[in-house]
Every structure is written in C-alpha cells, then in structure tokens.
C-alpha cells in the first residue's frame, strides 16, 4: 500500500541553524501539506502546496519557513533559523485532490528538537 | 469560526469494554468533511474515516462505529470490545473546502488507554 515517507525520523539542531525536513508523498497525489504537533498538543496546519506553489499558509508559517518540491518526488520544509519553540513533530501529508474534502494521508513524522 | 472540540482529554477502560469518544464541531459552511485519525504511541497519524456533511448515515467497520448527528454538530466514535492495541490518541478533524486547499482543523485529541 502506497504511503508517505519522511526523513529524518529525528533531528537535533542548535538554535539558529537551518534544517530541511524531507517528505516523499504518495506518487499520484497532487496536494501536499505540512503540519506540526508540539509535544502533547494538537496537530496544527502549516502550509498547503499545489501545482508548485503555496495555496494556503497559517500564521505560524512565517518568513523563516519555506517549502519546495525540488523534483518529481520530494517535498521539503525548510526552517531557516530555528528557534527553541520550533521543537515539535512535523508531519507531511498528501492527498489525491483538493478543495473537496479529500483524505489526507500522513507520513510518520520528523521529531525536531532545537537546543 | 471553525473549531473542533474533544472534551475528553483522557479515557481509561478495561479490555472488552465499549468506549465512545466525543467530537463536537463548529462551522458556518453547509459543505464540510469530518475525519478521525489515530495516533498510536509510535507517533504516526493513521486515517480511520472520512464523512461528508450530506451523509448522516452511521458507519460501522469491524469494532469501530461512527455516529454523525448534524443536529448536535457531533461526530462520535465508538470502539466496541476494546483491545489493548486500541490504546492511542484519537483526533477528530474538520475540513471546509475552499479554493485549492483542504486544511484540516484538528481537535485536541482524546488519549485512550485500554488496560488488560
């Protein structure tokens, strides 16, 4: 069964460093998403991406965040200068369609710890 | 404003008990979608069910069943004859279709512990 994959599973970084989280969405999916979950809290939407551009972003997704689809399979989230409060689990998701309540399938997550 | 409320923070049951997880949502849209996801201790989010606002028929899948009631804006999830493997955090989520996106709005989750 096709699934969303994410690398790395864990990442530890120093405050101020740049990190890139990688995701490989399900191959025939066209819509991609990043969410984050601060430990013990709910899952929060960060950004959605379609047709090589951001379609929506939350207020959390400020100038230090960026997303990219560098090739036909990867979807990345970059945090330019990490802060302590960026420590969270980051989930990538993908869906076949969008704007129609399509089911989003999530990857296993990357646990980011900023020291 | 859109909102999903899962008032039960944590529920503990003994194996074979039935348990219902509550979900109440708020939306101004007439077309919307509701989801349940399971987050086991390993951390991933596993899709369980999707329901659109026009389909109020209850659904059963094995030991899982869902009760959707628009009149009370609720989408409750029942596990029959619970098992230890059901121990997880369960999230209810809402999607309101808009131009080119389907962001999910999650509730705060209910942690279910099933004891042998």
């Amino acid at each position: 069964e096709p699934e969303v994959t994410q690398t790395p599973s864990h990442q530890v970084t120093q405050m101020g460093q740049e990190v890139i989280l990688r995701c490989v969405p399900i191959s025939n999916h066209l819509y991609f998403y990043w969410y984050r979950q601060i430990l013990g809290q709910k899952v929060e939407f960060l950004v959605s991406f379609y047709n090589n551009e951001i379609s929506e972003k939350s207020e959390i997704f400020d100038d230090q965040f960026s997303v990219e689809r560098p090739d036909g399979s990867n979807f990345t989230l970059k945090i330019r200068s990490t802060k302590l409060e960026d420590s969270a689990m980051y989930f990538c998701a993908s869906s076949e369609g969008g704007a129609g309540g399509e089911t989003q399938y999530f990857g296993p997550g990357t646990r980011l710890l900023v020291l | 404003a859109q909102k999903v409320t899962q008032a039960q923070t944590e529920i503990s049951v003994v194996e074979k008990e039935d348990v219902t997880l509550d979900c109440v949502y708020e939306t101004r849209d007439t077309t919307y979608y509701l989801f349940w996801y399971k987050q086991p201790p390993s951390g991933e989010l596993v899709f369980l069910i999707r329901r659109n606002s026009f389909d109020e028929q209850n659904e059963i899948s094995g030991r899982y069943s869902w009760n959707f009631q628009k009149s009370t804006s609720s989408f409750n999830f029942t596990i029959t004859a619970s098992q230890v493997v059901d121990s997880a955090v369960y999230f209810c989520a809402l999607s309101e279709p808009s131009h080119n996106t389907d962001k999910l709005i999650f509730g705060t989750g209910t942690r279910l512990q099933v004891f042998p």
Side-chain angles (χ1 to χ4, degrees):
Chain A
E1 185 177 323
E3 57 184 21
V4 177
T5 60
Q6 290 184 242
T7 54
S9 57
H10 293 78
Q11 174 125 21
V12 181
T13 190
Q14 294 291 324
M15 191 170 57
Q17 295 295 303
E18 174 183 286
V19 295
I20 297 176
L21 310 183
R22 292 184 166 79
C23 168
V24 178
I26 294 173
S27 62
N28 64 329
H29 286 186
L30 300 176
Y31 293 77
F32 314 120
Y33 311 84
W34 284 100
Y35 292 80
R36 80 169 186 192
Q37 182 184 30
I38 294 172
L39 187 63
Q41 297 186 24
K42 68 178 176 181
V43 180
E44 300 174 290
F45 169 78
L46 290 177
V47 65
S48 56
F49 191 87
Y50 168 72
N51 200 24
N52 278 319
E53 59 184 32
I54 291 174
S55 42
E56 186 176 359
K57 59 184 181 179
S58 72
E59 56 276 8
I60 302 169
F61 194 88
D62 60 23
D63 291 344
Q64 69 162 341
F65 290 93
S66 62
V67 290
E68 192 179 29
R69 189 153 162 83
D71 53 43
S73 58
N74 289 284
F75 178 51
T76 62
L77 174 69
K78 181 192 292 186
I79 309 175
R80 258 179 277 282
S81 177
T82 50
K83 304 172 190 169
L84 296 177
E85 54 264 37
D86 293 328
S87 296
M89 179 78 99
Y90 288 82
F91 290 103
C92 173
S94 69
S95 63
E96 199 169 346
E102 297 284 339
T103 298
Q104 294 178 28
Y105 294 93
F106 286 77
T110 293
R111 189 171 294 283
L112 176 66
L113 178 61
V114 182
L115 301 176
Chain B
Q2 334 93 316
K3 189 178 173 182
V4 176
T5 301
Q6 294 181 256
Q8 304 152 309
T9 308
E10 191 163 335
I11 301 175
S12 295
V13 299
V14 177
E15 223 175 4
K16 296 183 185 174
E17 281 186 34
D18 298 347
V19 58
T20 295
L21 310 182
D22 297 334
C23 173
V24 174
Y25 61 92
E26 291 177 34
T27 177
R28 291 181 188 159
D29 286 12
T30 54
T31 302
Y32 53 89
Y33 296 82
L34 296 163
F35 302 81
W36 276 94
Y37 286 85
K38 174 182 180 180
Q39 187 174 41
S42 48
E44 71 271 26
L45 285 167
V46 179
F47 165 73
L48 295 178
I49 190 171
R50 165 184 179 261
R51 177 51 50 93
N52 76 56
S53 54
F54 298 108
D55 181 4
E56 282 193 77
Q57 201 165 11
N58 292 331
E59 181 152 344
I60 299 174
S61 174
R63 295 183 299 105
Y64 294 171
S65 62
W66 290 269
N67 181 266
F68 177 31
Q69 292 201 356
K70 286 176 80 169
S71 60
T72 55
S73 297
S74 64
F75 186 44
N76 297 337
F77 173 31
T78 297
I79 302 175
T80 304
S82 58
Q83 300 176 0
V84 173
V85 293
D86 296 327
S87 296
V89 180
Y90 291 86
F91 290 97
C92 181
L94 167 71
S95 167
E96 297 167 318
S98 61
H99 180 64
N100 281 340
T101 189
D102 261 325
K103 73 173 182 182
L104 290 174
I105 299 153
F106 283 83
T108 49
T110 297
R111 180 178 300 277
L112 174 66
Q113 292 197 44
V114 182
F115 293 98

